[in-house]
Amino acid sequence: LRAKGFNVAEHMLVFDTDWKKDSKKVIAAVEKIGYPLIAKPADDGCSSAVKKIKTRAELVNYAEGVFRNSLTITPALANKLGLKPKEEFPKKNYFLVEGFIDRNNAAHFLEITGGMLTSYDAKGKLVYESFEPSEALAEGEILSLEEKFLAGQGQNITPARYHKNEKTRLAISKQVQQVLVEGAKVLNVQGYCRIDAFVRIDKKNKPEVVFIEVNSLPGMTPATAIFHQCALNGYKPYEFIDAILEFGAARTAKGL
């Protein structure tokens, strides 16, 4: 995405081999991004082990947790990591750190998640149908696993509240959706997807979209917002799922 000019957070991967060889060198490289930052597994989803890191000590604790020798976490380590009872914290060989995204003096700042669906038109051309993004509200610093997937836990407002004036809100939403679709095209995501992003809106109501992640197979639990979004485009849940299956069949028929 960055190579194509899209706005994404500064980031780097931290490997256990590099950490064990020279943790001071790794810390120095990470700190060039600047605190606070976000640390998370690079190959897991659903807010698993996503933490806001504010200090060097918290970074060291996080690395200790990810690179631990045992699958289990000792009570002492869990306490240092600030884990809740039974909170998942996977053991990995590497993790991702990225710059913390804040409002940067924006007039309005919000986290959104926008779904879309692909199909083929009459000429066989791939078409992306974008849905109205939802606004994701987190009780804490990071949107939790429960808020994302458990019914009654999360707060998603559809459509996202970009502006109080409906005409202005629609204009902003159109611009945001266009950026999300272009990102999906760059990555050649097909079938359906949901893209998470932050949106900064300046005093002139111009949006800046900062990509968080692209979910190529997003969950479809009652708590997820994609069913709300597709409903605004006239899809019942089973119709939306049927459209995904129909696209898959058409794609297979093309030999793709």
Side-chain angles (χ1 to χ4, degrees), residues 12-55:
M12 67 172 286
L13 290 172
V14 177
F15 293 87
D16 61 346
T17 51
D18 295 332
W19 184 269
K20 292 172 183 176
K21 182 178 179 180
D22 192 345
S23 62
K24 291 183 179 179
K25 182 178 179 180
V26 175
I27 291 171
V30 170
E31 290 183 338
K32 288 182 180 179
I33 297 175
Y35 297 111
L37 52 83
I38 297 295
K40 58 186 177 183
D43 55 359
D44 272 348
C46 311
S47 294
S48 172
V50 180
K51 296 292 181 181
K52 182 178 181 181
I53 306 297
K54 303 173 186 175
T55 65

mmCIF file of all heavy atoms in Angstrom, residues 12-55:
data_model
loop_
_atom_site.group_PDB
_atom_site.id
_atom_site.type_symbol
_atom_site.label_atom_id
_atom_site.label_comp_id
_atom_site.label_asym_id
_atom_site.label_seq_id
_atom_site.Cartn_x
_atom_site.Cartn_y
_atom_site.Cartn_z
ATOM 1 N N MET A 12 7.635 -1.951 11.698
ATOM 2 C CA MET A 12 8.763 -2.863 11.505
ATOM 3 C C MET A 12 8.465 -4.171 12.216
ATOM 4 O O MET A 12 7.631 -4.232 13.132
ATOM 5 C CB MET A 12 10.070 -2.264 12.036
ATOM 6 C CG MET A 12 10.127 -2.078 13.542
ATOM 7 S SD MET A 12 11.772 -1.587 14.130
ATOM 8 C CE MET A 12 12.694 -3.128 13.962
ATOM 9 N N LEU A 13 9.120 -5.226 11.753
ATOM 10 C CA LEU A 13 8.992 -6.535 12.393
ATOM 11 C C LEU A 13 10.148 -6.734 13.365
ATOM 12 O O LEU A 13 11.292 -6.389 13.062
ATOM 13 C CB LEU A 13 9.005 -7.649 11.348
ATOM 14 C CG LEU A 13 7.774 -7.761 10.448
ATOM 15 C CD1 LEU A 13 8.028 -8.783 9.348
ATOM 16 C CD2 LEU A 13 6.548 -8.160 11.265
ATOM 17 N N VAL A 14 9.838 -7.295 14.520
ATOM 18 C CA VAL A 14 10.846 -7.608 15.532
ATOM 19 C C VAL A 14 10.953 -9.134 15.628
ATOM 20 O O VAL A 14 9.977 -9.803 15.950
ATOM 21 C CB VAL A 14 10.472 -7.019 16.904
ATOM 22 C CG1 VAL A 14 11.501 -7.425 17.957
ATOM 23 C CG2 VAL A 14 10.350 -5.502 16.819
ATOM 24 N N PHE A 15 12.121 -9.672 15.331
ATOM 25 C CA PHE A 15 12.330 -11.125 15.338
ATOM 26 C C PHE A 15 13.061 -11.558 16.611
ATOM 27 O O PHE A 15 13.931 -10.839 17.113
ATOM 28 C CB PHE A 15 13.137 -11.553 14.112
ATOM 29 C CG PHE A 15 12.412 -11.377 12.816
ATOM 30 C CD1 PHE A 15 12.472 -10.162 12.136
ATOM 31 C CD2 PHE A 15 11.654 -12.410 12.288
ATOM 32 C CE1 PHE A 15 11.797 -9.992 10.927
ATOM 33 C CE2 PHE A 15 10.985 -12.257 11.083
ATOM 34 C CZ PHE A 15 11.051 -11.043 10.406
ATOM 35 N N ASP A 16 12.717 -12.754 17.095
ATOM 36 C CA ASP A 16 13.322 -13.241 18.331
ATOM 37 C C ASP A 16 14.833 -13.426 18.185
ATOM 38 O O ASP A 16 15.592 -13.177 19.129
ATOM 39 C CB ASP A 16 12.649 -14.540 18.796
ATOM 40 C CG ASP A 16 12.775 -15.674 17.793
ATOM 41 O OD1 ASP A 16 13.139 -15.399 16.621
ATOM 42 O OD2 ASP A 16 12.503 -16.825 18.167
ATOM 43 N N THR A 17 15.294 -13.837 16.991
ATOM 44 C CA THR A 17 16.730 -14.035 16.795
ATOM 45 C C THR A 17 17.489 -12.712 16.929
ATOM 46 O O THR A 17 18.560 -12.663 17.543
ATOM 47 C CB THR A 17 16.999 -14.647 15.401
ATOM 48 O OG1 THR A 17 16.313 -13.873 14.407
ATOM 49 C CG2 THR A 17 16.508 -16.085 15.346
ATOM 50 N N ASP A 18 16.930 -11.650 16.362
ATOM 51 C CA ASP A 18 17.564 -10.329 16.467
ATOM 52 C C ASP A 18 17.520 -9.822 17.898
ATOM 53 O O ASP A 18 18.480 -9.221 18.395
ATOM 54 C CB ASP A 18 16.868 -9.327 15.545
ATOM 55 C CG ASP A 18 17.027 -9.681 14.083
ATOM 56 O OD1 ASP A 18 18.038 -10.317 13.738
ATOM 57 O OD2 ASP A 18 16.134 -9.331 13.285
ATOM 58 N N TRP A 19 16.383 -10.071 18.563
ATOM 59 C CA TRP A 19 16.214 -9.595 19.944
ATOM 60 C C TRP A 19 17.230 -10.274 20.872
ATOM 61 O O TRP A 19 17.858 -9.629 21.704
ATOM 62 C CB TRP A 19 14.786 -9.869 20.413
ATOM 63 C CG TRP A 19 14.478 -9.341 21.781
ATOM 64 C CD1 TRP A 19 14.611 -10.001 22.964
ATOM 65 C CD2 TRP A 19 14.004 -8.030 22.100
ATOM 66 N NE1 TRP A 19 14.248 -9.193 24.007
ATOM 67 C CE2 TRP A 19 13.861 -7.970 23.504
ATOM 68 C CE3 TRP A 19 13.688 -6.908 21.346
ATOM 69 C CZ2 TRP A 19 13.408 -6.836 24.167
ATOM 70 C CZ3 TRP A 19 13.230 -5.775 21.993
ATOM 71 C CH2 TRP A 19 13.106 -5.743 23.391
ATOM 72 N N LYS A 20 17.384 -11.582 20.721
ATOM 73 C CA LYS A 20 18.300 -12.324 21.578
ATOM 74 C C LYS A 20 19.758 -11.990 21.263
ATOM 75 O O LYS A 20 20.617 -12.021 22.148
ATOM 76 C CB LYS A 20 18.059 -13.833 21.420
ATOM 77 C CG LYS A 20 16.709 -14.275 21.972
ATOM 78 C CD LYS A 20 16.413 -15.725 21.633
ATOM 79 C CE LYS A 20 15.026 -16.121 22.129
ATOM 80 N NZ LYS A 20 14.680 -17.513 21.727
ATOM 81 N N LYS A 21 20.031 -11.642 20.017
ATOM 82 C CA LYS A 21 21.396 -11.306 19.617
ATOM 83 C C LYS A 21 21.804 -9.929 20.123
ATOM 84 O O LYS A 21 22.921 -9.746 20.641
ATOM 85 C CB LYS A 21 21.509 -11.340 18.092
ATOM 86 C CG LYS A 21 22.899 -11.055 17.559
ATOM 87 C CD LYS A 21 22.925 -11.148 16.038
ATOM 88 C CE LYS A 21 24.308 -10.833 15.497
ATOM 89 N NZ LYS A 21 24.338 -10.923 14.004
ATOM 90 N N ASP A 22 20.901 -8.944 19.998
ATOM 91 C CA ASP A 22 21.233 -7.572 20.416
ATOM 92 C C ASP A 22 19.942 -6.791 20.630
ATOM 93 O O ASP A 22 19.497 -6.046 19.759
ATOM 94 C CB ASP A 22 22.097 -6.892 19.358
ATOM 95 C CG ASP A 22 22.715 -5.582 19.850
ATOM 96 O OD1 ASP A 22 22.242 -5.073 20.886
ATOM 97 O OD2 ASP A 22 23.648 -5.075 19.193
ATOM 98 N N SER A 23 19.344 -6.967 21.800
ATOM 99 C CA SER A 23 18.061 -6.313 22.086
ATOM 100 C C SER A 23 18.189 -4.791 22.100
ATOM 101 O O SER A 23 17.256 -4.077 21.714
ATOM 102 C CB SER A 23 17.503 -6.801 23.425
ATOM 103 O OG SER A 23 18.383 -6.470 24.490
ATOM 104 N N LYS A 24 19.348 -4.275 22.513
ATOM 105 C CA LYS A 24 19.537 -2.818 22.551
ATOM 106 C C LYS A 24 19.460 -2.218 21.148
ATOM 107 O O LYS A 24 18.894 -1.133 20.955
ATOM 108 C CB LYS A 24 20.876 -2.478 23.211
ATOM 109 C CG LYS A 24 20.934 -2.779 24.703
ATOM 110 C CD LYS A 24 22.270 -2.354 25.301
ATOM 111 C CE LYS A 24 22.315 -2.623 26.798
ATOM 112 N NZ LYS A 24 23.635 -2.226 27.394
ATOM 113 N N LYS A 25 20.033 -2.919 20.184
ATOM 114 C CA LYS A 25 19.998 -2.454 18.795
ATOM 115 C C LYS A 25 18.567 -2.456 18.272
ATOM 116 O O LYS A 25 18.141 -1.516 17.578
ATOM 117 C CB LYS A 25 20.884 -3.346 17.931
ATOM 118 C CG LYS A 25 20.965 -2.913 16.478
ATOM 119 C CD LYS A 25 21.896 -3.820 15.689
ATOM 120 C CE LYS A 25 21.975 -3.405 14.225
ATOM 121 N NZ LYS A 25 22.887 -4.300 13.449
ATOM 122 N N VAL A 26 17.820 -3.504 18.608
ATOM 123 C CA VAL A 26 16.428 -3.603 18.169
ATOM 124 C C VAL A 26 15.592 -2.504 18.811
ATOM 125 O O VAL A 26 14.779 -1.847 18.142
ATOM 126 C CB VAL A 26 15.838 -4.990 18.512
ATOM 127 C CG1 VAL A 26 14.356 -5.038 18.153
ATOM 128 C CG2 VAL A 26 16.587 -6.087 17.788
ATOM 129 N N ILE A 27 15.794 -2.294 20.101
ATOM 130 C CA ILE A 27 15.059 -1.250 20.811
ATOM 131 C C ILE A 27 15.325 0.121 20.195
ATOM 132 O O ILE A 27 14.409 0.925 19.997
ATOM 133 C CB ILE A 27 15.431 -1.247 22.311
ATOM 134 C CG1 ILE A 27 14.875 -2.507 22.989
ATOM 135 C CG2 ILE A 27 14.903 0.011 23.008
ATOM 136 C CD1 ILE A 27 15.367 -2.709 24.400
ATOM 137 N N ALA A 28 16.578 0.371 19.856
ATOM 138 C CA ALA A 28 16.937 1.653 19.241
ATOM 139 C C ALA A 28 16.207 1.838 17.913
ATOM 140 O O ALA A 28 15.750 2.948 17.591
ATOM 141 C CB ALA A 28 18.438 1.732 19.035
ATOM 142 N N ALA A 29 16.094 0.766 17.130
ATOM 143 C CA ALA A 29 15.401 0.843 15.844
ATOM 144 C C ALA A 29 13.907 1.085 16.042
ATOM 145 O O ALA A 29 13.295 1.896 15.336
ATOM 146 C CB ALA A 29 15.628 -0.449 15.063
ATOM 147 N N VAL A 30 13.334 0.391 17.021
ATOM 148 C CA VAL A 30 11.908 0.558 17.307
ATOM 149 C C VAL A 30 11.613 1.979 17.782
ATOM 150 O O VAL A 30 10.628 2.601 17.374
ATOM 151 C CB VAL A 30 11.445 -0.463 18.371
ATOM 152 C CG1 VAL A 30 10.027 -0.133 18.845
ATOM 153 C CG2 VAL A 30 11.498 -1.885 17.815
ATOM 154 N N GLU A 31 12.493 2.505 18.619
ATOM 155 C CA GLU A 31 12.245 3.822 19.199
ATOM 156 C C GLU A 31 12.366 4.954 18.180
ATOM 157 O O GLU A 31 11.964 6.078 18.458
ATOM 158 C CB GLU A 31 13.168 4.045 20.394
ATOM 159 C CG GLU A 31 12.786 3.164 21.582
ATOM 160 C CD GLU A 31 13.649 3.402 22.821
ATOM 161 O OE1 GLU A 31 14.772 3.924 22.670
ATOM 162 O OE2 GLU A 31 13.195 3.041 23.921
ATOM 163 N N LYS A 32 12.895 4.655 17.005
ATOM 164 C CA LYS A 32 12.904 5.656 15.936
ATOM 165 C C LYS A 32 11.477 5.924 15.453
ATOM 166 O O LYS A 32 11.184 6.997 14.934
ATOM 167 C CB LYS A 32 13.775 5.187 14.777
ATOM 168 C CG LYS A 32 15.266 5.220 15.079
ATOM 169 C CD LYS A 32 16.087 4.782 13.871
ATOM 170 C CE LYS A 32 17.577 4.825 14.168
ATOM 171 N NZ LYS A 32 18.401 4.385 13.005
ATOM 172 N N ILE A 33 10.602 4.923 15.614
ATOM 173 C CA ILE A 33 9.181 5.124 15.287
ATOM 174 C C ILE A 33 8.570 6.086 16.291
ATOM 175 O O ILE A 33 7.799 6.969 15.939
ATOM 176 C CB ILE A 33 8.427 3.776 15.294
ATOM 177 C CG1 ILE A 33 8.985 2.860 14.200
ATOM 178 C CG2 ILE A 33 6.925 3.981 15.106
ATOM 179 C CD1 ILE A 33 8.388 1.465 14.201
ATOM 180 N N GLY A 34 8.966 5.920 17.578
ATOM 181 C CA GLY A 34 8.503 6.815 18.633
ATOM 182 C C GLY A 34 7.356 6.256 19.447
ATOM 183 O O GLY A 34 6.486 5.566 18.920
ATOM 184 N N TYR A 35 7.393 6.553 20.737
ATOM 185 C CA TYR A 35 6.293 6.166 21.621
ATOM 186 C C TYR A 35 5.214 7.236 21.601
ATOM 187 O O TYR A 35 5.509 8.415 21.369
ATOM 188 C CB TYR A 35 6.815 6.003 23.063
ATOM 189 C CG TYR A 35 7.833 4.908 23.252
ATOM 190 C CD1 TYR A 35 9.156 5.233 23.551
ATOM 191 C CD2 TYR A 35 7.481 3.572 23.142
ATOM 192 C CE1 TYR A 35 10.113 4.242 23.729
ATOM 193 C CE2 TYR A 35 8.444 2.581 23.325
ATOM 194 C CZ TYR A 35 9.746 2.915 23.619
ATOM 195 O OH TYR A 35 10.692 1.934 23.791
ATOM 196 N N PRO A 36 3.957 6.820 21.830
ATOM 197 C CA PRO A 36 3.491 5.441 21.966
ATOM 198 C C PRO A 36 3.471 4.741 20.613
ATOM 199 O O PRO A 36 3.451 5.380 19.566
ATOM 200 C CB PRO A 36 2.072 5.603 22.522
ATOM 201 C CG PRO A 36 1.609 6.909 21.962
ATOM 202 C CD PRO A 36 2.835 7.788 21.947
ATOM 203 N N LEU A 37 3.480 3.412 20.678
ATOM 204 C CA LEU A 37 3.378 2.612 19.467
ATOM 205 C C LEU A 37 2.474 1.415 19.749
ATOM 206 O O LEU A 37 2.096 1.162 20.896
ATOM 207 C CB LEU A 37 4.754 2.180 18.983
ATOM 208 C CG LEU A 37 5.716 1.495 19.965
ATOM 209 C CD1 LEU A 37 5.432 0.004 20.089
ATOM 210 C CD2 LEU A 37 7.148 1.704 19.530
ATOM 211 N N ILE A 38 2.135 0.723 18.706
ATOM 212 C CA ILE A 38 1.293 -0.459 18.831
ATOM 213 C C ILE A 38 2.133 -1.700 18.551
ATOM 214 O O ILE A 38 2.887 -1.742 17.569
ATOM 215 C CB ILE A 38 0.107 -0.416 17.847
ATOM 216 C CG1 ILE A 38 -0.810 0.760 18.159
ATOM 217 C CG2 ILE A 38 -0.686 -1.732 17.885
ATOM 218 C CD1 ILE A 38 -1.499 0.683 19.503
ATOM 219 N N ALA A 39 2.029 -2.691 19.427
ATOM 220 C CA ALA A 39 2.693 -3.976 19.219
ATOM 221 C C ALA A 39 1.621 -5.044 19.073
ATOM 222 O O ALA A 39 0.627 -5.043 19.812
ATOM 223 C CB ALA A 39 3.610 -4.304 20.399
ATOM 224 N N LYS A 40 1.829 -5.939 18.098
ATOM 225 C CA LYS A 40 0.839 -6.996 17.889
ATOM 226 C C LYS A 40 1.440 -8.124 17.059
ATOM 227 O O LYS A 40 2.420 -7.914 16.325
ATOM 228 C CB LYS A 40 -0.392 -6.443 17.176
ATOM 229 C CG LYS A 40 -0.124 -5.799 15.817
ATOM 230 C CD LYS A 40 -1.393 -5.167 15.276
ATOM 231 C CE LYS A 40 -1.157 -4.455 13.955
ATOM 232 N NZ LYS A 40 -2.377 -3.792 13.460
ATOM 233 N N PRO A 41 0.877 -9.334 17.160
ATOM 234 C CA PRO A 41 1.350 -10.427 16.304
ATOM 235 C C PRO A 41 1.140 -10.054 14.842
ATOM 236 O O PRO A 41 0.153 -9.407 14.488
ATOM 237 C CB PRO A 41 0.450 -11.600 16.716
ATOM 238 C CG PRO A 41 -0.007 -11.263 18.108
ATOM 239 C CD PRO A 41 -0.149 -9.777 18.115
ATOM 240 N N ALA A 42 2.061 -10.459 13.997
ATOM 241 C CA ALA A 42 1.971 -10.118 12.578
ATOM 242 C C ALA A 42 1.106 -11.090 11.799
ATOM 243 O O ALA A 42 0.746 -10.822 10.654
ATOM 244 C CB ALA A 42 3.366 -10.064 11.963
ATOM 245 N N ASP A 43 0.763 -12.227 12.393
ATOM 246 C CA ASP A 43 0.006 -13.241 11.659
ATOM 247 C C ASP A 43 -1.211 -13.741 12.430
ATOM 248 O O ASP A 43 -1.708 -14.824 12.196
ATOM 249 C CB ASP A 43 0.913 -14.427 11.308
ATOM 250 C CG ASP A 43 1.601 -15.007 12.540
ATOM 251 O OD1 ASP A 43 1.396 -14.482 13.638
ATOM 252 O OD2 ASP A 43 2.344 -15.989 12.382
ATOM 253 N N ASP A 44 -1.726 -12.940 13.355
ATOM 254 C CA ASP A 44 -2.967 -13.248 14.054
ATOM 255 C C ASP A 44 -3.905 -12.066 13.877
ATOM 256 O O ASP A 44 -3.483 -10.942 13.627
ATOM 257 C CB ASP A 44 -2.733 -13.471 15.558
ATOM 258 C CG ASP A 44 -2.381 -14.920 15.855
ATOM 259 O OD1 ASP A 44 -2.544 -15.756 14.954
ATOM 260 O OD2 ASP A 44 -1.950 -15.213 16.981
ATOM 261 N N GLY A 45 -5.189 -12.308 14.036
ATOM 262 C CA GLY A 45 -6.158 -11.229 13.933
ATOM 263 C C GLY A 45 -6.966 -11.092 15.206
ATOM 264 O O GLY A 45 -6.593 -11.587 16.271
ATOM 265 N N CYS A 46 -8.065 -10.398 15.099
ATOM 266 C CA CYS A 46 -9.066 -10.317 16.170
ATOM 267 C C CYS A 46 -8.571 -9.639 17.437
ATOM 268 O O CYS A 46 -8.983 -9.986 18.539
ATOM 269 C CB CYS A 46 -9.573 -11.709 16.523
ATOM 270 S SG CYS A 46 -10.060 -12.689 15.093
ATOM 271 N N SER A 47 -7.661 -8.697 17.328
ATOM 272 C CA SER A 47 -7.148 -7.953 18.478
ATOM 273 C C SER A 47 -6.370 -8.817 19.459
ATOM 274 O O SER A 47 -6.148 -8.438 20.591
ATOM 275 C CB SER A 47 -8.291 -7.236 19.229
ATOM 276 O OG SER A 47 -8.864 -6.230 18.436
ATOM 277 N N SER A 48 -5.955 -9.992 19.034
ATOM 278 C CA SER A 48 -5.191 -10.875 19.897
ATOM 279 C C SER A 48 -3.832 -10.271 20.211
ATOM 280 O O SER A 48 -3.043 -9.995 19.299
ATOM 281 C CB SER A 48 -5.019 -12.244 19.225
ATOM 282 O OG SER A 48 -4.137 -13.069 19.955
ATOM 283 N N ALA A 49 -3.561 -10.060 21.503
ATOM 284 C CA ALA A 49 -2.269 -9.559 21.989
ATOM 285 C C ALA A 49 -1.886 -8.207 21.395
ATOM 286 O O ALA A 49 -0.707 -7.901 21.265
ATOM 287 C CB ALA A 49 -1.168 -10.588 21.732
ATOM 288 N N VAL A 50 -2.861 -7.397 21.050
ATOM 289 C CA VAL A 50 -2.585 -6.044 20.573
ATOM 290 C C VAL A 50 -2.454 -5.118 21.783
ATOM 291 O O VAL A 50 -3.365 -5.029 22.596
ATOM 292 C CB VAL A 50 -3.692 -5.530 19.637
ATOM 293 C CG1 VAL A 50 -3.372 -4.111 19.164
ATOM 294 C CG2 VAL A 50 -3.843 -6.457 18.444
ATOM 295 N N LYS A 51 -1.315 -4.458 21.899
ATOM 296 C CA LYS A 51 -1.067 -3.618 23.064
ATOM 297 C C LYS A 51 -0.525 -2.250 22.646
ATOM 298 O O LYS A 51 0.257 -2.149 21.702
ATOM 299 C CB LYS A 51 -0.045 -4.287 24.009
ATOM 300 C CG LYS A 51 -0.509 -5.602 24.617
ATOM 301 C CD LYS A 51 -1.654 -5.403 25.589
ATOM 302 C CE LYS A 51 -2.079 -6.729 26.210
ATOM 303 N NZ LYS A 51 -3.234 -6.546 27.154
ATOM 304 N N LYS A 52 -0.927 -1.233 23.371
ATOM 305 C CA LYS A 52 -0.360 0.099 23.197
ATOM 306 C C LYS A 52 0.871 0.188 24.094
ATOM 307 O O LYS A 52 0.779 0.043 25.314
ATOM 308 C CB LYS A 52 -1.378 1.173 23.570
ATOM 309 C CG LYS A 52 -0.869 2.603 23.368
ATOM 310 C CD LYS A 52 -1.959 3.614 23.717
ATOM 311 C CE LYS A 52 -1.478 5.044 23.511
ATOM 312 N NZ LYS A 52 -2.525 6.039 23.871
ATOM 313 N N ILE A 53 2.024 0.419 23.497
ATOM 314 C CA ILE A 53 3.291 0.466 24.216
ATOM 315 C C ILE A 53 3.700 1.926 24.410
ATOM 316 O O ILE A 53 3.904 2.657 23.432
ATOM 317 C CB ILE A 53 4.388 -0.297 23.442
ATOM 318 C CG1 ILE A 53 3.940 -1.731 23.135
ATOM 319 C CG2 ILE A 53 5.692 -0.280 24.222
ATOM 320 C CD1 ILE A 53 3.687 -2.582 24.344
ATOM 321 N N LYS A 54 3.859 2.317 25.659
ATOM 322 C CA LYS A 54 4.149 3.718 25.959
ATOM 323 C C LYS A 54 5.587 3.956 26.421
ATOM 324 O O LYS A 54 6.064 5.094 26.382
ATOM 325 C CB LYS A 54 3.187 4.215 27.040
ATOM 326 C CG LYS A 54 1.720 4.058 26.682
ATOM 327 C CD LYS A 54 0.825 4.400 27.863
ATOM 328 C CE LYS A 54 -0.634 4.119 27.564
ATOM 329 N NZ LYS A 54 -1.499 4.340 28.737
ATOM 330 N N THR A 55 6.259 2.895 26.863
ATOM 331 C CA THR A 55 7.608 3.056 27.403
ATOM 332 C C THR A 55 8.507 1.905 26.955
ATOM 333 O O THR A 55 8.029 0.861 26.480
ATOM 334 C CB THR A 55 7.582 3.064 28.939
ATOM 335 O OG1 THR A 55 7.152 1.768 29.416
ATOM 336 C CG2 THR A 55 6.650 4.148 29.476
#
